[in-house]
Amino acid sequence: MNKRIEITAQTKQNLIDAFWSLYREKRIENITVKDITQKAGYNRGTFYEYFTSVYDVLEHIENSLIPSLDQLPPVSTPSGSLGMPIEAFFTLFNQNRQYYAVLLGESGDPAFASKLKNSIKPTIIGIFTNEPPAARIELDYILEYTLSAMIGIMSFWFNQTDPIPNEKLHKLIHRLMEQGVMSQLFS
Amino acid sequence: MNKRIEITAQTKQNLIDAFWSLYREKRIENITVKDITQKAGYNRGTFYEYFTSVYDVLEHIENSLIPSLDQLPPVSTPSGSLGMPIEAFFTLFNQNRQYYAVLLGESGDPAFASKLKNSIKPTIIGIFTNEPPAARIELDYILEYTLSAMIGIMSFWFNQTDPIPNEKLHKLIHRLMEQGVMSQLFS
DNA sequence: TAAAATCATACAACATGATGTTGGATTAGT
DNA sequence: ACTAATCCAACATCATGTTGTATGATTTTA
């Protein structure tokens, strides 16, 4: 039976794909519903059966990229990466690399970076439930600092024409986290 | 023949102010030219004498906030802040606090964060002209990491309802930069 | 299992509102 | 009083979001 569902799922996906191929090229404010449906080969009205607006499509894509972070492996704290699941971060970023590169880039959506950070925070905070409240508040700031830094450097890396090797970046981040920025600047 | 500079400057500013008061409340995609001119008390057509679009107003505001960073004091490297002008950063952020808080926030503009970073980078890179090329490439990554972290934590701080004291944040950032994240997590 | 009834999908067409432009009215500077 | 600027009213164009309908697939009934 379910032929209907397949059709709608396909139509929806076609619209999403058309949107994305436009979004990679131009700012969202210049993308019209007409553009999308023309590219996907549907009537403009059909769009509204699936989405409420152009921004709704973006939202849909973003939300589909966030849940994969619930799949953050239970944060082990091996001596190598005290409390910060850098490896896990790496893996997840790479999985959706093509989307993250755009969404976190300079013509991306700042709300996405926030969503991303906020979805990761609870996992890490969970490790520090025993800490006193004062340290807890400071933790919020440290987390924001670190996650911003991670997202920043990964996004930068994604968008390089000639990026440094995976392994090299990996080690650099480790050093930055464990020894700070200053000690790395004068080597 | 004197252009009526004062009048036009005032009109332009009125439009900018009207835009900003709307921008603080809602996403830019929902702000129309009509909204702005109505709020500012002008005819809609007048808007186009000064700006080409709603986004052009935002761009204008952003650009007026960037040049102030050329005024970054020549980066002294006192023993306290090796290469990173944290104090200068603090001062500049605080000067335009109300704008930065919004523009760097989650309904802000990701392009602004990029502009900001890119305007600061050359100043800092200038200090490291003697370094070998390999270190130069790594420096780009370190800078992106650090600036993202700084912008992230400052923006977070701005948007807290009950922010920690200026001095405390200041010291925290120093520690994070000099000793890294990890050593701060387990105290 | 075949015909009838129902429902989901996609579309054409419409009303509304936003956009960007043009030509004219008004006001200030000399 | 003349000129040049500022601002506005009105227009054509375009995007939006909605409604009613044709098509064809699915389910029901007999």
Side-chain angles (χ1 to χ4, degrees), chain B residues 74-121:
Chain B
V75 186
S76 57
T77 45
S79 53
S81 64
L82 286 162
M84 281 293 166
I86 303 181
E87 335 283 335
F89 219 82
F90 248 81
T91 312
L92 284 162
F93 261 71
N94 267 317
Q95 258 165 19
N96 296 302
R97 197 193 166 105
Q98 66 136 324
Y99 290 100
Y100 279 56
V102 175
L103 287 173
L104 298 173
E106 58 184 293
S107 57
D109 179 9
F112 183 67
S114 294
K115 282 184 205 167
L116 203 52
K117 287 183 220 165
N118 292 332
S119 81
I120 300 170
K121 281 177 180 174

Side-chain angles (χ1 to χ4, degrees), chain A residues 4 7-8 11 41-44 46 49-50:
Chain A
R4 282 257 188 57
I7 292 174
T8 53
T11 303
Y42 294 93
N43 181 278
R44 206 172 54 79
T46 303
E49 305 281 337
Y50 295 90

Side-chain angles (χ1 to χ4, degrees), chain B residues 1-2 12-13 16 19 37 39 46 51 61 66 69 86-88 94 97-98 103 106 113 115 126 148 155 168 171:
Chain B
M1 122 125 220
N2 265 344
K12 193 167 188 175
Q13 192 57 46
I16 290 173
F19 166 82
T37 50
K39 187 147 216 155
T46 304
F51 302 101
I61 292 175
I66 293 292
L69 278 156
I86 303 181
E87 335 283 335
N94 267 317
R97 197 193 166 105
Q98 66 136 324
L103 287 173
E106 58 184 293
K115 282 184 205 167
S148 300
S155 170
K168 204 172 173 190
K171 282 186 176 152

Side-chain angles (χ1 to χ4, degrees), chain A residues 21 28 30 44 54 60 62 64 76 87 91 124 137 186:
Chain A
S21 94
I28 192 167
N30 298 320
R44 206 172 54 79
V54 175
H60 190 275
E62 289 183 355
S64 79
S76 58
E87 336 283 334
T91 312
I124 298 175
I137 289 173
F186 301 88

Side-chain angles (χ1 to χ4, degrees), chain B residues 7-186:
Chain B
I7 294 175
T8 52
Q10 187 59 55
T11 303
K12 193 167 188 175
Q13 192 57 46
N14 290 341
L15 291 170
I16 290 173
D17 291 346
F19 166 82
W20 187 255
S21 95
L22 290 166
Y23 188 67
R24 277 183 314 193
E25 291 168 3
K26 52 177 169 177
R27 297 185 135 257
I28 193 167
E29 61 262 26
N30 298 320
I31 300 175
T32 66
V33 173
K34 191 180 170 193
D35 288 339
I36 297 171
T37 50
Q38 226 162 35
K39 187 147 216 155
Y42 294 93
N43 182 280
R44 206 172 54 79
T46 304
F47 177 91
Y48 294 97
E49 305 280 336
Y50 294 90
F51 302 101
T52 62
S53 71
V54 176
Y55 289 87
D56 188 39
V57 185
L58 180 62
E59 184 115 357
H60 190 275
I61 292 175
E62 289 184 353
N63 290 340
S64 78
L65 290 170
I66 293 292
S68 61
L69 278 156
D70 290 344
Q71 301 151 9
L72 266 174
V75 186
S76 57
T77 45
S79 53
S81 64
L82 286 162
M84 281 293 166
I86 303 181
E87 335 283 335
F89 219 82
F90 248 81
T91 312
L92 284 162
F93 261 71
N94 267 317
Q95 258 165 19
N96 296 302
R97 197 193 166 105
Q98 66 136 324
Y99 290 100
Y100 279 56
V102 175
L103 287 173
L104 298 173
E106 58 184 293
S107 57
D109 179 9
F112 183 67
S114 294
K115 282 184 205 167
L116 203 52
K117 287 183 220 165
N118 292 332
S119 81
I120 300 170
K121 281 177 180 174
T123 312
I124 299 176
I125 288 176
I127 311 171
F128 299 92
T129 43
N130 305 330
E131 300 288 321
R136 183 43 235 286
I137 289 173
E138 215 173 50
L139 177 59
D140 285 338
Y141 284 86
I142 297 177
L143 269 184
E144 187 69 31
Y145 177 93
T146 310
L147 292 175
S148 300
M150 272 298 281
I151 289 176
I153 199 172
M154 293 291 291
S155 170
F156 182 75
W157 185 54
F158 284 154
N159 288 294
Q160 291 297 309
T161 49
D162 187 17
I164 60 175
N166 196 309
E167 187 58 23
K168 204 172 173 190
L169 177 68
H170 207 288
K171 282 186 176 152
L172 176 60
I173 293 179
H174 261 284
R175 268 184 289 136
L176 287 169
M177 290 224 180
E178 274 156 29
Q179 298 159 42
V181 179
M182 296 310 184
S183 66
Q184 300 304 310
L185 281 177
F186 300 87

Side-chain angles (χ1 to χ4, degrees), chain A residues 63-98:
Chain A
N63 290 339
S64 79
L65 290 170
I66 294 291
S68 60
L69 278 156
D70 289 344
Q71 302 152 10
L72 266 174
V75 185
S76 58
T77 45
S79 53
S81 63
L82 286 162
M84 281 293 166
I86 303 181
E87 336 283 334
F89 219 83
F90 247 81
T91 312
L92 284 162
F93 262 72
N94 266 317
Q95 257 164 21
N96 295 302
R97 197 193 167 105
Q98 66 136 325

